[in-house]
Amino acid sequence: AEAALAESEERFRNLADSAPVAIWLSGPDNRCSFVNKRWLDFTGRTLDQELGQGWIENVHPDDRERVATAYRRSFEVLSECRIEYRARRADGEYRCLLDHGVARFSADGEFAGYVGSCVDITDLKRNFEQHLATQKLESLGVLAAGVAHDFNNLLGAIVARAESATSELAPGSPATYDVEQVRVIALRAGEIVAQLITFARQENAPPAALDLSSVVAEMLDLLRVSIAKAAVLETELASGLPLMQANADEIRQVVMNLVVNASEALEGEPGTITVSTAPASLGGDSGGAVRLEVRDTGSGMTEEVKNRIFDPFFTTRFVGRGLGLASTQGIVRRHGGSIEVESAPGKGSRFTVLLPCAAGQAAPVPHAAELDVPSAETGGTVLFVEDEESLRSVIAKCLRRKNFQVIEAADGAAAIEILKSDPGGIGVVLLDVTLPGISGAELLDELRWIRPEVKVILSTAYSRETAMRGFGGRDVWGFIRKPYRTDDLVNLLRHAAGASNPSGDSSG
């Protein structure tokens, strides 16, 4: 009998130690009487340390009382016990475990204790949380882009109203300066909103040759409104950098994540964030590179925190999900670059990103190109298709002052009917990309079918690339981004009226 019992116990232990989960047993006195090898490998402790009530020492201090209460309660009611808690692994990291125990009984029905298993569900929870976070970010991106687009229409109306008011004021009027400031501020707000649209949409555009300094410079207004009020943003942007082959939206995300992280490191206290760019080298035969550096005068990091900052969901902040730096590292690696951090408590932090250059390309020389505008005072007849009435009415008013004949349409159906009747020999159609009812692309096809020679100029708050992607490669004569200055629009329309051949590259 003793030999048979020993053999049975040995067989049970071999089976338990081979199981892919941690297994435990407890007696009717709720004291742990057995844990398998996988449990001991996880905790890094001995069997004697885990028996009795020793196992609860592994539980996270914040979870310990809740776990002990649930465990004790299950023995009182002999119910199935299912508890989720954090437990310390042998390397010191706390992992999320799902502990499931069931009551066991002897052959005569007497309660004999519990048998349970623990499964590490940390990675499963992280993947699920990342999925939810991604969905939330996508929803926020769609919402932000939509709100920003509509807001840009309102800013366009403000700019046009200010320009209209300025033209009606008497020379030397004290109100001229204030009205001009309204126009300038609205245009600057439009630039910030345009950057927000670009950042929120996060389109998967193909890589293109980019000047890193130009990308950062374009984002400055958006960066300044994204950091803490007490923070000062400084830049040291090198000119004439070699171009890099990269996805512009992803590079903007890297810059934004690093600057926002630096702002949070200041913890609301006054401080400085410095963004700099410079030529660099990846070392060896890897060729040239460009360097993006973001420094802050914040609280700095301990060595332990510094070693974990790129881990998904790791964060030392009260808010946030800990995905910013993890996604930044992923973007940099996808572009063949590297990212390093230098930091110490009380000495701030320095993030250095190296990105490889595009082979055989040099930075372009910045220049300003002016349209060759015809000198004729008559602008011709324009069909203005825009669903935002506040913008449509004031732009039409301003164009009429510039000797244009303007016919207004609030949607695609009205535009089609007007073009069919063509009362004034319409030569140019100023077309809003997003319209109610018929889509812009379908409307363009109808307009071309009715009048193949008509010149179409697209107008939207989105970038030219985004707008053209929505038109599926259809050719248009020109493009102007909202909010725009009336003079820019007038020049573009006169240029269209004076041009003999359509050109898909014309823009304003």
Side-chain angles (χ1 to χ4, degrees), residues 164-200:
S164 176
T166 300
S167 66
E168 295 182 355
L169 291 173
S173 171
T176 301
Y177 175 79
D178 289 336
V179 175
E180 175 62 16
Q181 287 303 301
V182 169
R183 186 187 72 86
V184 171
I185 292 170
L187 285 171
R188 181 172 175 268
E191 294 172 357
I192 296 175
V193 172
Q195 294 171 10
L196 177 61
I197 290 174
T198 300
F199 185 76

Side-chain angles (χ1 to χ4, degrees), residues 129-407:
E129 290 175 3
Q130 186 170 15
H131 175 69
L132 291 180
T134 301
Q135 284 189 324
K136 183 175 181 180
L137 288 174
E138 289 176 352
S139 299
L140 288 175
V142 172
L143 177 63
V147 170
H149 177 271
D150 291 343
F151 189 58
N152 241 349
N153 279 339
L154 301 178
L155 289 173
I158 293 173
V159 171
R161 292 285 179 189
E163 291 178 345
S164 176
T166 300
S167 66
E168 295 182 355
L169 291 173
S173 171
T176 301
Y177 175 79
D178 289 336
V179 175
E180 175 62 16
Q181 287 303 301
V182 169
R183 186 187 72 86
V184 171
I185 292 170
L187 285 171
R188 181 172 175 268
E191 294 172 357
I192 296 175
V193 172
Q195 294 171 10
L196 177 61
I197 290 174
T198 300
F199 185 76
R201 291 180 67 86
Q202 289 296 305
E203 297 166 346
N204 189 22
L210 302 175
D211 181 340
L212 179 59
S213 293
S214 296
V215 172
V216 176
E218 291 169 0
M219 296 182 65
L220 287 181
D221 286 334
L222 184 58
L223 294 173
R224 287 192 175 97
V225 300
S226 301
I227 62 176
K229 295 298 182 183
V232 176
L233 181 64
E234 297 180 350
T235 58
E236 300 169 359
L237 305 181
S239 59
L241 285 179
L243 300 185
M244 57 181 181
Q245 197 75 13
N247 180 302
D249 289 338
E250 290 192 330
I251 298 302
R252 291 187 187 99
Q253 184 178 349
V254 168
V255 176
M256 176 65 75
N257 287 349
L258 291 178
V259 170
V260 170
N261 181 76
S263 175
E264 292 176 345
L266 297 178
E267 299 178 343
E269 299 296 326
T272 303
I273 301 169
T274 305
V275 182
S276 63
T277 60
S281 173
L282 291 173
D285 299 327
S286 301
V290 289
R291 183 177 74 240
L292 169 67
E293 190 175 278
V294 178
R295 306 188 300 272
D296 66 72
T297 57
S299 56
M301 294 177 282
T302 64
E303 195 68 24
E304 180 183 1
V305 171
K306 191 170 65 173
N307 291 335
R308 298 190 59 195
I309 55 172
F310 296 113
D311 292 348
F313 301 101
F314 175 78
T315 179
T316 59
R317 312 297 178 203
F318 178 72
V319 295
R321 291 182 175 270
L323 292 173
L325 291 179
S327 63
T328 296
Q329 184 185 58
I331 291 171
V332 171
R333 287 178 174 176
R334 282 199 302 274
H335 284 80
S338 63
I339 181 169
E340 296 181 354
V341 58
E342 302 173 30
S343 185
K347 296 185 178 180
S349 302
R350 179 198 306 263
F351 285 81
T352 304
V353 175
L354 297 181
L355 294 166
C357 297
Q361 290 181 313
V365 178
H367 65 279
E370 296 293 336
L371 289 172
D372 183 15
V373 182
S375 58
E377 290 296 323
T378 302
T381 303
V382 177
L383 173 58
F384 186 19
V385 190
E386 169 65 59
D387 63 313
E388 181 61 49
E389 195 278 334
S390 62
L391 177 62
R392 187 180 68 249
S393 62
V394 67
I395 292 295
K397 177 182 177 182
C398 292
L399 291 179
R400 290 181 182 117
R401 286 179 178 168
K402 299 292 185 178
N403 298 320
F404 285 92
Q405 298 294 321
V406 182
I407 303 173

Side-chain angles (χ1 to χ4, degrees), residues 408-454:
E408 301 177 45
D411 53 43
I416 291 172
E417 293 303 318
I418 292 171
L419 197 61
K420 282 180 178 179
S421 60
D422 199 11
I426 297 169
V428 182
V429 177
L430 180 59
L431 175 62
D432 183 27
V433 169
T434 55
L435 292 169
I438 184 172
S439 69
E442 293 172 333
L443 177 57
L444 179 60
D445 291 339
E446 288 288 335
L447 298 181
R448 287 283 168 74
W449 182 80
I450 299 169
R451 288 278 305 279
E453 74 280 6
V454 72

